[in-house]
């Protein structure tokens, strides 16, 4: 009894509470999916266990096709975005290309565009009949309708590839920056020319980082939903995420089959993660990317400089500005069409006025703010606690906690959504079709990233700062709130801001978990687009991008005010 | 008073004995220094006293309270030990002002707001920082941060003061200044203090008692004077200052309290302590500090305590000239006045007075 009361301190209750919550968030989805795939009834019912779904799935050619499509799509999009991002990163970090500042701003701008809007704008640009590019090509060269077609695998790979180029750009730029130029200078002094140095030293040293980044994009591609939903579903090209979505949403919906597909999906995602972890651990032996900031060596491009600059501008025009321009243009139109004198005369602010008056828009915005702020606050606190436990304590099982906190990376959003629906339809916790379930989903999904951010900051904080507090008479809770959290502030800001912006960008979580009354902005955009209201979608999109930009800028300013520049 | 008895702390699952059966007592109001090379266990010992490490065995008492005892299964958490500590990195919280840093140990206790401020201000004035109270901590120089750390350590009215290499991050001049300030403050407050350093000058100038540690063990303990002038081990002699170690065979006691040792440099007579009890032909080591060797031109004439050598190298260091003198196949370090006209290659006579050298047993363990 005395033992128990001694353990029942506020410190232990707080730490224990967070740990239990993390375990809960991590375990539920996989447990539910295993259970669900072995059932034959709807969520909320219990039937005898059966392997019938697995038998059916193995005999279903669609499954193999989806898995194949998922891999082709992820590899293809990964190659395009990696090449694009790395090329631009190399130009800005290691050459004397012009307009470096503009390139950086453009990359940051690209980050502000939600995937669903990016895809929609490409449909507006190159859909076979109404797409602006196709219309112009036909008008100019008489090539007929639909020369370029965004629907199908090639279009999916193209759009997704140019959508996500900012991720590899930021990672590779950091890698280029943190490479000791002395390594290259040593090669030059040893008599190697620029070209030899690049291929024998620079490229070799960058390889581990590069492959790690590529694997990261590949894993992201596996769970992509926006592009495959908008460009794949209409022509019957399915990947795992859309396959599960349709199995749940298209009547007759089959939850058990969706759960079974989810198990395969989980398997594919785990394989990707496994490869990533193996590779990044193995490549630690190359300690050249040291995290130090160096003044990198700048290669003179010589007579190639104008061409390189032009290529960068061209790529950015396609990957960033063309979609933005078409969105902005469409948002002022009474109906959608290519630019013409007649349409220019008919331009109107009506769509924006509609935004300010429509109840659904306003309630979605409100929902989105509630979910975004709540999830950001909770996930940031959890991440700080988990990072602290893993890095600072010698508690047994802390590695396991670390692993559990990372499970969100392994759950594709579609699987997570399905699992949460199932679970909260089954247990008597009445949060199905509320904002709570969305908050839980975002916390689970974002916890790995936030833990990583907090850990990165925490390892740089001298342990003695906490010990000094302890010696000064402060117990755990006071040390944690008065010393640890304030020192983590830069990390907390980044974690908070990224979670908040993700809630305005990602469609794959609200697509299954959002309902009438709990719509979030991305879902509203998707629904409006499906019903063909392009100008309204465009106006809503422009407004969303503005909100995201403000949130990000505010977070950056705030974290700069506390003295640390936030990465990413 | 700090009483540490039979302290044992292992790392790496018991493979590394960081602190190995260490016992000592720090008398109330004195400053006690643990001196030793890095990795000798001195910081681990200090951190055990603070409660930041949990030792495997032994006991620690602060005045009349047992704060750790493996037998009685007592472990008092650091935040309940009421100790003040200055960390090697200072550990000044960068998100707080000077005032907030120093007031921290006073919060959550019985003091009123005004009292906290008053006490913190008093601590700051004691380290001459009374005017910087609202300065954010990162805007301080290294020396100022050091003083804030000191003020914070004493602000909470601690029972003991712990200092973990507090001066190692300062430049030489500031170090000397702070050394004086710490000593002064400790005396004024009568604080029982435990000080950890690898710097012999700090240890000699600050301490009431020095304990020399090596490989987790406490090698020897004594006043600075004792430890420097009459080291009882080869390690202590060589770690605290430079020492020439000359092996020899003890011969016999002679009149005037002298004793004679036969060495490769001929007989050396020394002032024998009353406590020593060597027998004839015992293997001993004669310890001679470089500054106690006198060099003069020419060669020795078979005298006791004098022998010949050839100057192998000289280094001018301002305060003195450091000479290496080849005596047979041995090198002897000697320090001579900078005005001494010593030249490399010259034949010289080396001489040491009997009361300027000491003799210890040549036990293989040391």
């Amino acid at each position: 009894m005395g033992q128990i009361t001694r353990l029942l301190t506020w410190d232990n209750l707080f730490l224990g509470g967070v740990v239990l919550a993390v375990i809960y968030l991590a375990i539920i989805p996989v447990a539910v999916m295993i259970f669900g795939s072995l059932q034959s009834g709807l969520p909320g019912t219990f039937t005898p266990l059966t392997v019938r779904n697995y038998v059916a799935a193995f005999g279903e050619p669609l499954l193999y096709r989806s898995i194949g499509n998922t891999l082709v799509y992820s590899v293809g999009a990964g190659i395009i975005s990696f090449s694009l991002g790395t090329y631009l990163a190399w130009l800005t970090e290691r050459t004397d290309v012009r307009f470096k500042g503009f390139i950086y701003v453009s990359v940051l701008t690209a980050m502000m565009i939600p995937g669903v809007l990016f895809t929609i704008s490409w449909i507006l640009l190159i859909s076979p009949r109404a797409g602006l590019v196709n219309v112009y090509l036909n008008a100019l060269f008489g090539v007929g309708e639909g020369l370029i077609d965004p629907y199908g695998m090639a279009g999916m790979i193209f759009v997704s590839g140019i959508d996500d180029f900012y991720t590899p750009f930021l990672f590779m730029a950091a890698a280029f920056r943190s490479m000791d130029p002395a390594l290259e200078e040593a090669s030059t002094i040893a008599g190697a020319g620029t070209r030899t140095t690049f291929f024998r030293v620079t490229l070799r040293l960058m390889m581990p980082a590069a492959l790690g980044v590529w694997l990261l994009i590949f894993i992201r591609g596996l769970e992509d939903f926006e592009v495959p939903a908008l460009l794949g579903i209409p022509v019957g090209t399915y990947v795992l995420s859309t396959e599960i979505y349709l199995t749940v949403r298209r009547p007759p919906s089959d939850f058990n089959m969706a759960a079974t597909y989810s198990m395969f999906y989980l398997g594919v995602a785990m394989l990707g993660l496994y490869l990533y972890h193996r590779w990044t651990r193995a490549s630690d032996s190359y300690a050249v990317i040291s995290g130090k900031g160096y003044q990198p060596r700048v290669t003179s491009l010589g007579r190639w400089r104008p061409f390189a600059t032009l290529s960068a501008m061209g790529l950015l025009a396609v990957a960033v500005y063309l979609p933005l321009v078409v969105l902005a243009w469409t948002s002022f139109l009474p109906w959608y069409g290519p630019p013409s004198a007649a349409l220019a005369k008919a331009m109107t602010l009506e769509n924006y006025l509609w935004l300010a008056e429509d109840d659904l828009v306003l309630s979605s915005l409100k929902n989105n703010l509630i979910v975004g702020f709540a999830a950001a606050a909770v996930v940031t606190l959890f991440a700080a606690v988990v990072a602290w436990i893993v890095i600072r304590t010698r508690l047994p099982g802390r590695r396991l906690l670390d692993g559990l906190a990372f499970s969100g990376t392994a759950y594709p959003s579609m699987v997570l959504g399905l699992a949460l629906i199932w679970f909260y339809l089954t247990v008597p916790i009445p949060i199905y079709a509320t904002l709570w379930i969305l908050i839980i989903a975002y916390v689970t999904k974002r916890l790995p990233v936030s833990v990583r951010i907090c850990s990165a900051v925490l390892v740089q904080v001298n342990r003695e700062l906490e010990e000094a507090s302890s010696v000064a008479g402060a117990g755990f809770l006071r040390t944690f709130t008065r010393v640890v959290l304030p020192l983590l502030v830069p990390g907390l800001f980044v974690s908070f801001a990224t979670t908040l912006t993700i809630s305005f960008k990602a469609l794959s979580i609200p697509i299954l978990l959002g309902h009438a009354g709990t719509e979030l902005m991305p879902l509203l955009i998707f629904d409006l687009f499906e019903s063909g209201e392009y100008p309204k979608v465009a106006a809503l999109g422009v407004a969303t991008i503005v909100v995201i930009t403000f949130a990000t800028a505010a977070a950056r300013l705030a974290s700069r005010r506390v003295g640390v520049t936030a990465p990413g | 008073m700090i009483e540490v008895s039979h302290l044992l702390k292992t790392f790496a699952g018991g493979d590394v004995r960081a602190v190995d059966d260490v016992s000592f007592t720090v008398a109330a109001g004195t400053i006690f220094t643990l001196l030793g090379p890095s990795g000798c266990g001195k910081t681990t010992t200090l951190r055990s006293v603070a409660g930041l490490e949990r030792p495997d065995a032994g006991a620690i008492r602060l005045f009349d309270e047992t704060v750790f005892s493996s037998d009685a299964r007592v472990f008092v958490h650091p935040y309940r030990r009421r100790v003040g500590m200055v960390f090697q990195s200072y550990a000044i919280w960068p998100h707080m002002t000077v005032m907030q840093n120093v007031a921290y140990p006073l919060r959550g206790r019985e003091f009123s707001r005004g009292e906290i401020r008053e006490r913190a201000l008093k601590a700051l004035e004691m380290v001459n920082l009374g005017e910087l109270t609202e300065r954010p901590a990162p805007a301080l120089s290294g020396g100022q941060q050091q003083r804030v750390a000191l003020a914070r350590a004493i602000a909470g009215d601690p029972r003991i003061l712990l200092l973990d290499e507090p001066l190692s991050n300062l430049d030489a001049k500031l170090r000397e200044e702070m050394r004086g300030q710490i000593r002064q403050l400790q005396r004024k407050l009568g604080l029982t203090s435990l000080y950890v350093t690898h710097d012999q000058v700090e240890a000699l100038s600050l301490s009431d008692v020095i304990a020399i540690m090596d490989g987790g063990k406490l090698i020897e303990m004594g006043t600075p004077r004792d430890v420097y002038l009459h080291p009882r081990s080869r390690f202590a002699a060589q770690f605290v200052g430079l020492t020439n170690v000359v092996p020899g065979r003890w011969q016999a006691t002679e009149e005037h309290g002298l004793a004679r040792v036969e060495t490769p440099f001929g007989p050396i007579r020394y002032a024998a302590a009353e406590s020593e009890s060597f027998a004839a032909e015992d293997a001993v080591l004669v310890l001679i500090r470089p500054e106690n060797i006198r060099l003069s031109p020419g060669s020795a004439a078979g005298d006791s305590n004098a022998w010949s050598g050839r100057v192998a190298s000289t280094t001018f260091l301002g305060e003195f000239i450091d000479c290496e003198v080849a005596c047979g196949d041995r090198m002897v370090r000697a320090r001579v006045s900078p005005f001494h006209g010593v030249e490399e290659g010259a034949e010289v006579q080396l001489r040491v007075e009997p009361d300027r050298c000491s003799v210890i047993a040549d036990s293989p363990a040391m």
Side-chain angles (χ1 to χ4, degrees):
Chain A
M1 197 56 208
Q3 282 281 22
I4 294 173
T5 43
R6 191 133 44 98
L7 283 173
L8 272 180
T9 59
W10 286 112
D11 301 356
N12 290 346
L13 283 177
F14 172 70
L15 282 177
V18 172
V19 169
L20 287 179
V22 170
I23 294 172
Y24 176 83
L25 293 175
I27 298 286
I28 296 294
V30 64
V32 170
M33 283 300 96
I34 293 174
F35 173 76
S37 65
L38 296 172
Q39 289 281 300
S40 57
L42 283 172
T45 65
F46 293 90
T47 63
L49 297 181
T50 167
V51 293
R52 166 188 105 151
N53 302 309
Y54 285 94
V55 175
F58 276 118
E60 177 60 74
L62 255 180
L63 174 69
Y64 302 112
R65 211 185 307 155
S66 303
I67 294 179
N69 280 344
T70 307
L71 293 176
V72 170
Y73 170 75
S74 307
V75 170
I79 288 174
I80 292 185
S81 68
F82 180 79
S83 315
L84 182 55
T86 305
Y87 176 62
L88 289 173
W90 176 73
L91 280 182
T92 41
E93 291 296 333
R94 307 306 297 268
T95 73
D96 60 349
V97 73
R98 282 176 180 277
F99 312 126
K100 288 183 181 180
F102 176 76
I103 296 178
Y104 257 104
V105 169
S106 305
V107 171
L108 294 181
T109 310
M111 286 177 73
M112 305 301 140
I113 311 173
V116 58
L117 277 174
F118 190 83
T119 316
I120 287 172
S121 56
W122 273 96
I123 294 175
L124 297 178
L125 280 167
I126 57 174
S127 78
R129 253 174 302 148
L132 297 187
V133 176
N134 278 325
V135 170
Y136 279 124
L137 283 178
N138 192 22
L140 287 175
F141 307 110
V143 289
E145 277 185 353
L147 178 72
I148 308 173
D149 187 350
Y151 295 104
M153 185 55 83
M156 282 158 60
I157 289 178
F158 168 75
V159 172
S160 177
I162 60 172
D163 179 12
D164 197 15
F165 79 97
Y166 53 84
T167 307
F169 177 94
L170 293 173
F171 276 107
M172 293 307 285
F176 279 123
R177 237 194 327 264
S178 57
M179 198 174 83
D180 187 351
L183 295 166
E184 289 166 306
E185 282 158 9
S187 162
T188 314
I189 288 175
T194 310
R195 190 178 302 248
T196 317
T197 298
F198 180 78
F199 284 105
R200 298 281 294 272
V201 177
T202 315
L203 209 59
R204 293 288 188 85
L205 290 174
M206 296 295 295
M207 271 309 282
L211 196 62
V213 172
W214 188 84
L215 277 166
L216 201 70
I217 314 167
F218 168 72
I219 295 167
R220 281 189 172 198
L222 291 177
E223 67 163 327
D224 227 1
F225 175 77
E226 285 86 339
V227 176
L230 287 164
L231 298 179
I233 292 177
V235 292
T237 304
Y238 303 132
V239 295
L240 279 165
S241 63
T242 47
E243 185 71 53
I244 292 170
Y245 167 70
L246 291 176
T247 312
V248 172
R249 277 294 158 87
R250 190 153 61 189
S253 50
D254 185 345
F255 278 80
N256 307 106
M257 208 56 188
T260 312
Y261 285 161
S262 293
M263 293 304 292
F264 286 97
Y265 199 177
L266 260 179
V268 174
M270 298 286 257
L271 187 72
L273 268 183
Y274 171 76
L275 288 176
Y276 175 71
H277 277 289
R278 257 198 70 148
W279 178 255
T280 46
R281 195 165 311 155
S283 63
D284 278 350
S285 50
Y286 285 70
V288 286
I289 312 294
S290 64
K292 262 193 225 164
Y294 293 102
Q295 191 61 49
R297 241 167 62 111
V298 168
T299 307
S300 173
L301 289 168
R303 63 201 166 90
W304 292 104
R305 192 173 175 202
F307 298 100
T309 307
L310 202 65
S311 72
M313 296 303 119
L315 289 169
L316 290 172
V318 170
V320 184
Y321 295 105
L322 214 51
L324 276 181
V325 166
V326 79
L327 269 190
W329 159 253
T330 310
S331 73
F332 291 109
L333 299 181
W335 63 87
Y336 178 65
S340 65
L343 257 183
K345 228 175 263 167
M347 278 173 81
T348 166
L349 282 174
E350 217 171 281
N351 301 313
Y352 287 98
L353 295 175
W354 165 81
L355 276 186
E357 285 167 1
D358 188 77
D359 288 340
L360 197 52
V361 171
L362 294 178
S363 76
S364 300
L365 178 64
K366 196 178 109 202
N367 289 341
N368 213 141
L369 288 171
I370 293 173
V371 169
F373 272 95
V378 172
V379 82
T380 302
L381 178 67
F382 280 16
V385 172
V386 170
W388 185 83
I389 289 178
V390 172
I391 292 179
R392 289 291 201 249
T393 72
R394 294 176 202 153
L395 289 180
R398 63 184 193 282
R399 294 275 149 223
L400 187 68
L401 180 69
D402 198 24
L404 286 173
F406 274 88
S407 57
T409 313
Y411 296 136
S413 301
M414 206 52 60
V415 175
L416 187 62
L418 178 61
L420 292 180
I421 290 178
W422 199 304
F423 185 69
Y424 292 104
L425 279 177
T426 310
V427 299
I429 304 175
I431 62 169
Y432 177 74
T434 66
L435 295 179
W436 290 103
I437 201 167
L438 286 159
I439 295 171
I440 289 178
Y442 278 115
V443 170
T444 312
K445 197 65 201 152
R446 297 300 299 174
L447 192 60
V449 180
S450 291
V451 168
R452 212 177 281 198
I453 293 167
C454 288
S455 304
V457 179
L458 191 58
V459 292
Q460 292 171 32
V461 172
N462 192 330
R463 184 190 282 263
E464 288 191 344
L465 291 167
E466 289 162 47
E467 291 176 344
S469 169
S470 220
V471 170
F476 165 76
L477 269 185
R478 206 168 126 228
T479 300
F480 193 76
T481 51
R482 295 292 303 274
V483 175
V484 179
L485 285 183
L487 291 172
L488 279 181
V489 157
L492 303 181
F493 265 122
V494 178
S495 156
F496 195 96
T498 49
T499 308
L500 182 61
T501 47
I502 287 288
S503 75
F504 277 93
K505 285 168 74 175
L507 173 62
S508 49
I509 286 194
I511 191 79
L512 279 188
L513 294 176
H515 281 77
T518 64
E519 291 95 344
L520 302 188
M521 297 302 265
L523 182 59
L524 184 64
I525 291 170
F526 183 73
D527 286 348
L528 276 175
F529 179 78
E530 295 281 86
S531 55
E533 311 231 35
Y534 300 160
K536 282 183 180 170
V537 170
L540 189 56
V542 171
T544 307
I545 292 171
V546 169
V547 171
I548 292 172
T549 308
F550 268 112
T552 311
R556 281 192 166 247
L557 272 182
S559 67
R560 198 163 302 166
R561 263 185 60 176
V562 296
V564 185
T565 324
Chain B
M1 188 189 68
I2 307 170
E3 208 180 321
V4 172
S5 44
H6 304 292
L7 200 68
L8 173 74
K9 173 70 187 171
T10 60
F11 286 115
D15 293 345
V16 182
R17 291 184 163 229
V19 178
D20 192 357
D21 194 24
V22 164
S23 303
F24 59 85
T25 302
V26 183
T30 64
I31 181 161
F32 184 99
T33 298
L34 292 169
L35 174 67
S38 62
C40 74
K42 56 190 193 298
T43 293
T44 310
T45 306
L46 179 108
R47 289 169 60 84
S48 300
V49 174
L52 296 170
E53 302 282 351
R54 196 189 279 254
D56 297 285
I60 302 170
R61 289 170 63 82
L62 304 182
F63 293 91
D64 47 4
E65 186 195 6
T66 301
V67 292
F68 171 73
S69 164
S70 52
D71 292 336
R73 300 181 137 267
V74 172
F75 179 79
V76 177
H77 282 283
Y79 55 89
R80 297 203 192 284
R81 289 198 184 186
R82 267 192 54 210
V83 301
M85 180 160 170
V86 178
F87 290 82
Q88 185 172 11
S89 67
Y90 315 142
I92 298 299
W93 300 302
H95 58 293
M96 298 185 192
T97 64
V98 168
M99 190 63 175
Q100 286 167 331
N101 263 285
V102 177
Y104 193 91
L106 297 159
R107 291 187 200 286
R109 287 167 55 176
E110 70 277 19
F111 305 119
S112 71
R113 224 168 244 269
E115 239 175 323
I116 290 177
R117 206 183 149 75
E118 197 180 303
R119 279 169 182 263
L121 207 60
K122 213 175 101 196
L124 278 168
E125 273 160 7
M126 254 184 249
V127 296
N128 305 324
L129 277 181
E131 72 286 1
L132 289 184
T133 53
E134 297 314 316
R135 188 78 64 91
L140 298 175
S141 69
Q144 287 169 334
Q145 286 196 27
Q146 222 284 326
R147 285 188 279 168
V148 173
L150 198 57
R152 184 179 63 190
I154 60 172
D157 194 16
R159 292 187 289 191
I160 59 166
L161 180 63
L162 305 172
L163 302 111
D164 182 11
E165 307 232 10
L167 305 179
S168 59
N169 287 331
L170 298 178
D171 62 52
K173 223 180 158 104
L174 211 52
R175 202 179 305 169
E176 203 177 308
E177 197 185 308
M178 285 309 300
R179 212 163 63 205
Q181 209 170 44
I182 289 176
R183 183 65 173 141
Q184 213 182 356
L185 199 67
Q186 185 269 334
R187 285 238 177 96
K188 197 159 136 195
L189 298 174
L191 267 170
T192 310
S193 306
L194 183 57
Y195 192 101
V196 159
T197 183
H198 65 270
D199 183 314
Q200 39 142 338
V201 180
E202 266 173 47
L204 291 172
S205 61
L206 270 173
S207 321
D208 291 310
V209 177
I210 294 176
I212 295 169
M213 286 186 74
D214 184 40
K217 289 196 194 309
L218 210 149
I219 304 283
E220 77 176 75
M221 209 160 29
T223 64
R225 228 187 150 70
D226 278 345
V227 168
Y228 191 82
L229 295 179
H230 307 292
R232 288 191 301 274
S233 65
R234 183 181 187 149
F235 180 82
Q238 289 187 316
F239 189 75
V240 184
L242 272 173
T243 300
N244 292 296
V245 179
V246 186
R249 298 253 162 217
W250 195 83
Q251 298 301 320
T253 46
E254 299 180 342
E255 48 195 4
H256 308 306
L258 297 186
R260 183 165 49 90
V261 177
E262 205 52 55
T263 75
F265 304 147
I268 292 183
R269 291 187 166 79
Y270 72 100
E274 279 175 27
S275 56
E276 68 183 35
S277 55
F278 293 116
E281 290 303 315
D282 276 358
V284 292
L285 300 173
V286 182
L287 308 175
I288 310 168
R289 300 272 182 203
E291 65 268 30
N292 292 333
I293 291 176
R294 283 207 325 255
L295 296 185
S296 46
S299 55
D303 202 357
S304 146
N305 286 30
W307 63 95
S308 317
R310 178 187 296 275
V311 177
S313 72
T314 62
T315 311
F316 181 78
L317 288 169
E319 294 165 56
F320 53 81
I321 299 172
D322 187 34
C323 310
E324 285 197 298
V325 187
C327 307
D329 54 355
R330 291 175 181 280
M331 277 294 177
V332 172
R333 293 282 283 276
R335 283 177 180 174
V336 299
S337 153
F339 298 103
H340 199 290
V342 62
E343 268 174 39
E344 285 178 18
E347 288 285 336
V348 289
Q349 185 195 68
L350 300 87
R351 173 177 287 280
V352 60
E353 295 305 322
D355 59 346
R356 296 286 169 90
C357 54
S358 55
V359 169
I360 59 173
D362 185 10
S363 53
M366 292 292 161

